[in-house]
Each structure stands twice: as structure tokens, then as C-alpha cells.
Amino acid sequence: MDTNQPTMSINGTMVTFTPGQTILEVAWERGIDIPTLCYLKDASPTGACRICLVEVKGARTLVASCAMPAGPGMEVTTDSPEVHRSRRLNIELLLASGNHNCLTCEKNGECKLQDLAYAYGIKEIRFQGQTQQYPKDDSNPLITRDFSRCILCGRCVQACNDLQVNRAIGYGYRGAASKIVTTGDRPYQESDCVFCGQCVEACPVGALTEKKAKGLARSWETKKVRTTCPYCGVGCQMWLHVKAGRIVKVTAVEDAQPNRGMLCVKGRFGYDFVHSPERLTTPLIKGEDGQHHPATWDQALDLVATRLKQIKKKHGANAIAGVSCARSINEDSYNMQKLFRAAIGTNNIDHCARVCHAPTVAGLAASFGSGAMTNSFADFDKARLIFVIGSNITEAHPVAGALVKRAVAKGAQLIVADPRFTGIAESAHIYVPIKVGSDVAFINGLMNVIISEGLQDQAYIDRCTTGYADLVAKVAEYPPSKAARIAGIGVDLLRETARKLASVKPAMLVYTLGITEHTCGVNNVRSTANLQMLLGNVGFECGGVNPLRGQNNVQGACDMGALPGDYPGYQKVENPAARHKFEEAWGVKMPRKNGLMIPQMFEGIEQGEIKALWVFGENLANTEPDIRHVEHCLKSVEFLICNDIFPTETTRFADVIFPAAAWSEDDGTFANSERRVQRVRKAVEPPGQAKPNWWIFREVAGRLGQEWKSKSGQDIWDKEVSELAPLFKGIKYSRLENDGLQWPCPDKNHPGTACMHKEGRFTCGLGNFEALDWTPPAEVPDKKYPLVLSTGRRLYHYHTRTQTGRCGGLNDLLGQETADISLADAAELGVADGDMVRVSSRRGQVMVKARVTRQVPKGLVWMAFHFREGNANWLTNPVYDPISLTAEYKACAVRVEKA
Amino acid sequence: MSVAQDISKQMPEDVTPEMLAQLDDICQKYRGKPGGLIPVLQQVQGVVGYLPVAVQDRISQKLGVPGHEVFGVTTFYSFFSMTPKGRHTVRVCMGTACYVRGGKEVLDRLERHLDIPVDSTTPDRRFTLEQVRCLGACGVAPVVVVDQDTHRKVMADTAVDLVERYQ
């Protein structure tokens, strides 16, 4: 026994405890069972249910062990006739308080009240309860609220307020009339609720249940399969509840990194697309009639192989290009790039990181030596100062947003810079409404203040970085008055922000696509790196530069080398040693030059140089800027191959469509934003003849004369990826069973890397400052197009809705695109909330409903690209960052008129 | 305030812009102060007369307190009302002493006279009739409180004359 630790006795046994622990926590740690209905891990105790009562010697009454801190010398008895009688009485009262009829209850078999009634031998209800006061609320599409089963334990309130920090529900009314309510006791869908469903997860009884799961399975009939969420880059761990080949429900894995028991609306309720009747179930070949006709796998694979061989023979391998998929598993992307490099013989392989975080990969690699998020999600709620810039984190990465809000609730400072007053801005101590596309000037201005006031970390700069003198000279050209003018903010606010940033060490910087999707995306990224190096914040827990990756496996698709200049593990195509290594491994000679990036592929199609395009799981027709131009290219390419799980706007143009296995239908891995390689598991069979994507690429490679040995996801990872890429050398499937591993992980005993560039020892040696000038967006408002259009993602949908559009409930929560405009512009245009408007740019026009909102400042229009109808990409500008070729989705000029 | 909940719900017509300006000032005074919600609700009810949900929404927004908390506190304390109040509030004590000395008869008579049940307001918004539990003035029971005035030893017959003095 550790003599420094205080001790107490539980049931006559001496035990040590850590000061601050409650009696309940000490007992549970020792494996001593104390039942409870209201205790919720990570939330402050409420002591509401009175089930965890214990005897404490000397205390006047029984004590709620969940709320009572353990004390030295305490003598606790967890079960005695007195305790037993009291618990039993409380359970009886709870049973009498509502309609606790188990026969048809969804929670039957996993209800804590039911378990307790059984354990305490309650055979009949002794008391007459009150009649039911509140009717069931079944009005929203996802969550059923049955107040007759509610025991008012408050776990849902804690889950909503303490865990997810959405603050949508609390206690209302009084005494016997008490009820869990939203503001104004409105239905969920008219309240602040964002449908994360954490309340359902927390409910110990049948008061809150998943509507979609109703009647599908009893808890004991389902098989539970752990996997990784198929949506954003947070990479939440979840249980799929499977019965008879169908996913019936999704719940969070408790205590797992990175989500620690939380999920968002898409993760929890966005699973049923895999069972959609619209799934592609057979290969399709376009006939002479222009229609797609079912074909056998052999016919489709043979056709693709033959056509690729013909085109290669006639025009060379570089006439073929491919776009890989950032939603599919690592092993699929690995095989696709291997097919292109080794079997076809071109580096023309890219994926959608091009349209989102390619500036991150390029920019952070140049600054730090590695283009990935430096820190971990585990740091988020421990951080003391967080600077969120260009990130709508509560909608695009909701669980990461919850962690930031938790940090704020615990006392952290939060600075948010964004043109829109986003959800996270509501929690900010300082909100900086910078103008769209002013980031470099804004950050130069911050650095100007920091340097002129001597707030920089000079020791860190001297020891860990290079290029400082140039930076100092450059930011001297951005005095606060100039920087603030460009950013459209007050000088005082700029100064206050700079001083606040310098006041806490380390401070954490988080950004998303507001930084990258500009013609100066790489410069924006490098500016964030400059700022964090200047403050000495890189290389420490709760510090660093943290880009949140948009798609579930966009980090992985980059890691696997689905990039025109990188082999797996960021080994460079133009580095002869790397090339020789892969040539030897794959047994072929390979091209020395980098391949084409996505925009160059389209250019190549227009110029007749690209003859065949293979699009894997991407809906380019909706996601690229200027839809008209993209569709023209897709139409005109000689041979278009698509792998997909659904017919999409893009597959319309395909010559051959391969039906692919979806998430949950194949075994593999994703890498999340924090570089964590996590397992994705097969839970159900693919529909019809759909096949894993890696298998499709392997089959085509076979027909092009290459026999690949690996015959499963595990084979591909363990025998190829991890053998060929030093970053992943220590990562094997056998080590990924639980929370996965964060790369770099160089050997099999390495624990993975939670924080990169430790203590400022950068991957590239010294961190590189880069002196940067601000450049305005390529298209700025003028008389004809007086407003700025900026675009992004909304909470209830994901990209072009190929998945979320086929999930019950999500369309009901958000059924159409809107153009979000400010109150001021709406008044000027004579437009009311919900009116139809025409939004036009130099590329095209769309008709959408106006959403008049305080979130958007005057002069800005904000739209998403989820819906084909009213898709922002009819309007966006196909101009690109010169280094990463990432399009400027965040800024173009438009006009809005009342329709 | 979620994305779905952007433009606040319809404000009742009897809540004037001047009242809202006062509401904003009150919230500004208490913003960021722990325990500020109850005094804010008291003062706003003093200005507006009652606390409809739209007013609660505005308080939530201006004070930076979750809406459900505003609603929870409003519905917890009987002092707060979500329905409009009369110009005068008549509170009849139903504590034990008042009850046995005729408080119940007083209440019955006022219900008949004003033609409304207890805990409601006359259609002309002149009176709100309420019952309360013990005001601590048992020595002068039965007690009726109209607005800020406490009236002692009120009987059913005198109660009608008493309230009629309030226009």
C-alpha cells in the first residue's frame, strides 16, 4: 500500500484513494459494486436518484456515494439491511412514478431500472402512482421522448450540458410536475437541440429511444461490432448493433479515443444508407443506347483492362488519370495508387484532399517537415487557450467542437476568428469577424503586435527555427492599422487578440477549410505555422497547429500516396531512392515525374491529353467548382470508370460502373485527423454482387499482367503498407484492436505519437518561418456582383448527400439548400426569411430559399454544396492556389435578387 | 442558440420595443455575473408584466445563459408567470390561520365577483387573482395582499369593496 495516499475502509477492507475521488469511484475502482441510475462519467454528480446510498459511520443519514468525496479514515458499508431497504424503497417509488411496462419497451434487456428491480427482488408495485401528465413526444424524426418512463435521473441533462455542451435541455416545472424540457418546452426540432443523441445514449431507462431502431431488435439479439465512423475526420469509435445482416442502431464506444463516448447526429443516425434499395448491386456498362446495362464482373473488368491497354498503347500511360476516395479505407487507396503507378505506369493519381487540405499537406510540410495535425483530440478539452480560425467546428466536426466547448466550460480561453458568427463563436471570449480571404494580413498584423510588444518566445525562436529575420521584416509592413483595415476589424480588437494569444502557453491553434480553400491557401496555412512558432507553441501538449481533416479518411488517402507526388508514407516520387525502393517492391520500373493534380486532369481532358479517367467514390460533378465546366469534362473524356456505392451525378457519365462494398461491408483501416490509424470492421455483407474496392483494383491489375499477393485489407496493410512506409512500420492490425495507433510509429514497440515535433524538435530539424504577403481573393465584389459568396458544410449533411441523403431523418432535419444572408442585406433586397432568391455569379445561377441569419455579416452570402438543387458549385470560381491547386471555394463574387 | 433556432420566436404584441430596450439594459448589467438570472427575471417581469417564452429567449441570448435554464427557473418559482398579469394582483392567503378565519370564503367571493377562477386574469387585464400559502401575518388573519398593500382581517363582504378600490 502506498503510504502517501490517504486510506479509508470499505466493507471492512482498508483501501487507498486519491483525494477528490468520490466514495463511488473508489469502490468501483476496487471492483465493489454500488448500483446507480444517475451517475454519468465525466459529468458533475447530481445525487438525484438516491440509489447509490451507502452507510458512512458517524453520518446522520445514508450518504449518496456518487456525490460524497472520500475522506481519510472513513468507514463505509456499501450493503447492509438499512442500505438494502432504502434502495429497494427508492426503486419501488421510481417504478410507481410512471408507466414502467417492460413488455414492449425498447430498453427491455438493457434498462437499469429493470435490472435493479430484478436484483432487489421487487415482484409487484406496492404504491399507486400518479396518472401520466405529459404525452409522448414523437414529433421529431430521430428521438422518441416518452415522459411516462422518465425517472428524472438527469443523465440526459448532464449528457447535453456537461458532455456535448449543447445546452438544449434541463429541468422544468416543479415537484410532481417536473419534466425534462427544452427552452420554452418546445419539441426538440424547434429547440437548440442538434440531435447528437447523447441524451438517448445516457438514458438508463426507456424514456429516450432511437426512433429508427424501434421494433427492429431486442438488445440481446444483436451482435455488436466496433468500428470507426464514416463521416468527418474526428474518427469516432462506435458500436454497430447488427441483427440479421442489418445495422439496427449505432452507439458510442465508451472510454475510447478520440470521442470518449460521444457521437454527433451523422455518426449516430447516419448509418442506414448502406441498406438503401438504391445501392449499386451489379457492374454496369454503358451501351450504344447511352444507357447503363448490367454486366458480369468478368465483362466489366475485361472491358476496363482492354480499354486501358488500348489507350496506354496509343497515347501513353500518362493519358490515364485516377481520383481516389477519401471516404474509403486505406487499403483501397493503397491498391488504387499501386494500380496506377505499378500496373498502368503513371503518377496521375490524386484525391479530394486537393479540394480541401492539400494546402495543409504542402504548407505544414514546408514549415514543420510534416503536413499533418501536430496534436491530438485528447488535448482539446485540456487546453487553456484555443484559437479557432476558419473552422465551423460545431457543424463540420461536432465531437471536436464539443471538446472545445468542454475546455471553455472548465475555464479555457477561446478566440474565434471567422467571417461568420458560427456556433463555436457563441462560446468565444474574443470573436474576431475577419473579412473573407484576409487571413494572411490578419495574422501578419497579430505577429506585428506580438513582436513590437516583445511578446514572442525568443528562446524558442532562436533554438528551434530559421527565417525569423525575414519574418520580422515582412510583418513590419503590416502595422495594426493596415492589417485591421484589410481584415475589416478594429485595431483594438487586433491588439487585444494578439495579447491574449501571447498570454497563455501553450496555446492551441485549430483551423479548417476557411484557411485552405483560397488561392492563397498554402500561405494561409504557413501563416498559422508562423504564428504558433513565434509564440513557441509547437511541440507541446495542448499547443500546435491543428487542421481538422474533412473526410473520415482524407488523412489516410494522403498517407497511402493517393497523391501525384507521393508514394505511401510521403516518400517522394522525385526522390530516386524512394522510387527504387518501390520499384523493387512492386517489381516494375516506374515514372520519375510527379503526376497530375485533379484540376490539371480536367485541363488535360479539355486539351485531349487525358483519355481515360477513373473516379473512385467521388461525386466530382457536384463537388468541384463550376459544375458546368466539370460536367463538360466528364462528358468529353473518352473512357470514364467509376467505383461507387450509389448512382451519382458523376456516374451518369461513366462507361463502366463498378458496384463497391460500402463502409461496414469490408475490413480495413481509416486514419483520422490526429494521425490515428483505426480499424474499420465488416458488420454486414455487401448487397448483390458489390465487391471491396481493393479487390476491384487487384483484379484489374491482374488483367494488366500483375499478380498481387495480398488478398485482404489486413494482408495489404501488414505485408505492404507497413513494410514500405517507415511512418507506419510499427503499425500492424494486431496492434489496432482498440484505440488504434497514431503515426509516426516506427517500430513494433513504439506507442505512437500523440504530439509531433516534441519540444520544438521539428521533423525537418528547424522550423521554417516564411515571410508572406497578403493577396486578395481572385474575384472580389464589384458593381455587377456586389456580394461575396463563401461555402462550406452544414451539420445534418455530408458532402453531396450520397450517404446522408439516404439516411432516415437527416433529410427531414435539413431538406434543401439555402442562401444564408445577413439581416441588413435582406432588408436592402426586400427579402424575408424563406423567400426564393436567385444567386448568380459569372459561372452560373441557382434558385434557392434565403435564410436570413445573424450568423452572416453584411456583404456575405453563405451556401453549401450538399444538394444538387441550389448547389453552390454552380457559382464557385475555378481558380487555384498555385502550389496545391486547391480551388477558392471560400470566395467569389455573386449577386442576389428576389425571385 | 442553434443554427435551426436563429430568428427568435414571435414576440407577443403587448411587449413593446421600449420594454425590450429595458430588458437588454437589465441583461447587460448582469451578464457574466453568477446568480444573475433570478434578479434579471424579477426585473424583466417588473417591466413586461410577465415572461412569455419569446422574452425568455431574448434573456437567454442577451445574458448568455442557456434557454432551458431560463425556462427552468421561470417555471420553478411561482412568483414568475408566463401568462399576462392584470394591472393589479390580488393574493388571498390560504395559510392555516387565514383559512380557518374565513380566507376560503374570501377567495370564493372574489372568484364569483371577478368571474374568473383562481390563478387567472380578468379579460380586461384589471385583476389577477392568486392564492398564496401563509404570508406570516397570521395574527391579523385573514390577509389579502393587493399589489404591495397588505390588508388585514378581510372578510368576504369587505373583500369586494376592497378590490374595487383598485382601478
Side-chain angles (χ1 to χ4, degrees), chain A residues 304-569:
Chain A
V304 165
T306 310
R307 293 289 283 129
L308 289 179
K309 274 192 260 187
Q310 283 170 354
I311 288 167
K312 182 176 169 180
K313 194 168 173 198
K314 195 161 163 200
H315 305 284
N318 285 336
I320 302 168
V323 178
S324 188
C325 175
R327 302 188 207 180
S328 198
I329 53 176
N330 282 324
E331 293 74 6
D332 291 344
S333 268
Y334 174 86
N335 262 17
M336 184 171 189
Q337 60 87 33
K338 184 176 171 186
L339 171 73
F340 271 74
R341 295 197 158 109
I344 297 171
T346 175
N347 284 312
N348 291 344
I349 178 80
D350 203 0
H351 74 284
C352 74
R354 192 61 53 209
V355 300
C356 61
H357 270 299
T360 295
V361 178
L364 292 188
S367 291
F368 302 155
S370 168
M373 177 165 163
T374 58
N375 289 59
S376 299
F377 289 118
D379 291 3
F380 277 40
D381 66 330
K382 288 187 283 187
R384 292 188 299 127
L385 193 156
I386 304 174
F387 179 27
V388 175
I389 179 166
S391 177
N392 181 15
I393 190 170
T394 53
E395 288 196 74
H397 302 87
V399 170
L403 292 172
V404 172
K405 289 190 284 182
R406 271 203 218 180
V408 174
K410 285 193 277 185
Q413 298 285 314
L414 176 65
I415 302 171
V416 173
D418 202 298
R420 289 192 306 151
F421 190 75
T422 53
I424 196 67
E426 291 176 26
S427 303
H429 298 92
I430 300 180
Y431 166 62
V432 194
I434 58 169
K435 265 194 202 162
V436 170
S438 66
D439 307 76
V440 171
F442 169 58
I443 294 174
N444 277 354
L446 292 175
M447 293 193 289
N448 181 297
V449 175
I450 290 165
I451 293 170
S452 60
E453 299 189 5
L455 303 173
Q456 74 275 25
D457 185 339
Q458 199 60 49
Y460 180 96
I461 294 165
D462 295 342
R463 179 168 56 85
C464 308
T465 67
T466 170
Y468 182 59
D470 290 343
L471 181 84
V472 172
K474 181 52 72 187
V475 303
E477 297 168 25
Y478 290 82
S481 56
K482 178 180 169 187
R485 181 171 43 77
I486 296 171
I489 57 171
V491 175
D492 290 344
L493 182 59
L494 181 82
R495 286 212 173 90
E496 185 195 354
T497 307
R499 288 172 193 150
K500 177 71 84 183
L501 276 170
S503 69
V504 176
K505 269 193 83 163
M508 196 159 197
L509 187 146
V510 176
Y511 74 79
T512 311
L513 302 187
I515 286 290
T516 60
E517 285 181 347
H518 285 285
T519 43
C520 54
V522 173
N523 288 353
N524 285 349
V525 169
R526 298 209 65 181
S527 290
T528 65
N530 284 344
L531 176 66
Q532 283 296 67
M533 288 192 291
L534 183 72
L535 293 166
N537 282 337
V538 184
F540 305 96
E541 195 182 74
C542 302
V545 176
N546 300 283
L548 302 180
R549 304 302 297 257
Q551 300 210 24
N552 51 321
N553 197 38
V554 68
Q555 182 65 52
C558 292
D559 295 349
M560 291 305 103
L563 294 169
D566 294 76
Y567 295 121

Side-chain angles (χ1 to χ4, degrees), chain A residues 786-787 819 821 829 831 837-840 850 861 894-898:
Chain A
L787 300 169
I821 58 174
L829 295 162
V831 169
V837 291
R838 179 186 299 110
V839 186
S840 38
V861 184
V894 295
R895 184 172 66 237
V896 176
E897 295 150 302
K898 194 169 173 177

Side-chain angles (χ1 to χ4, degrees), chain A residues 161 167-174 181-186 190-194 395 426 851-855, chain B residues 1-9 53-54 56-57 60-61 66-69 71-73 75-78 82:
Chain A
N161 290 276
R167 297 185 169 138
I169 53 172
Y171 297 93
Y173 310 108
R174 182 171 33 142
V181 295
T182 63
T183 310
D185 200 4
R186 297 172 182 131
E190 291 171 31
S191 76
D192 296 333
C193 175
V194 291
E395 288 196 74
E426 291 176 26
R851 179 168 162 267
V852 182
T853 168
R854 286 189 201 88
Q855 286 195 327
Chain B
M1 189 181 65
S2 80
V3 177
Q5 200 55 57
D6 199 30
I7 302 299
S8 61
K9 296 275 149 93
V53 173
Q56 295 179 34
D57 277 339
S60 154
Q61 215 178 78
H68 70 75
E69 208 175 306
F71 185 80
V73 172
T75 56
F76 185 84
Y77 293 102
S78 60
M82 287 172 52

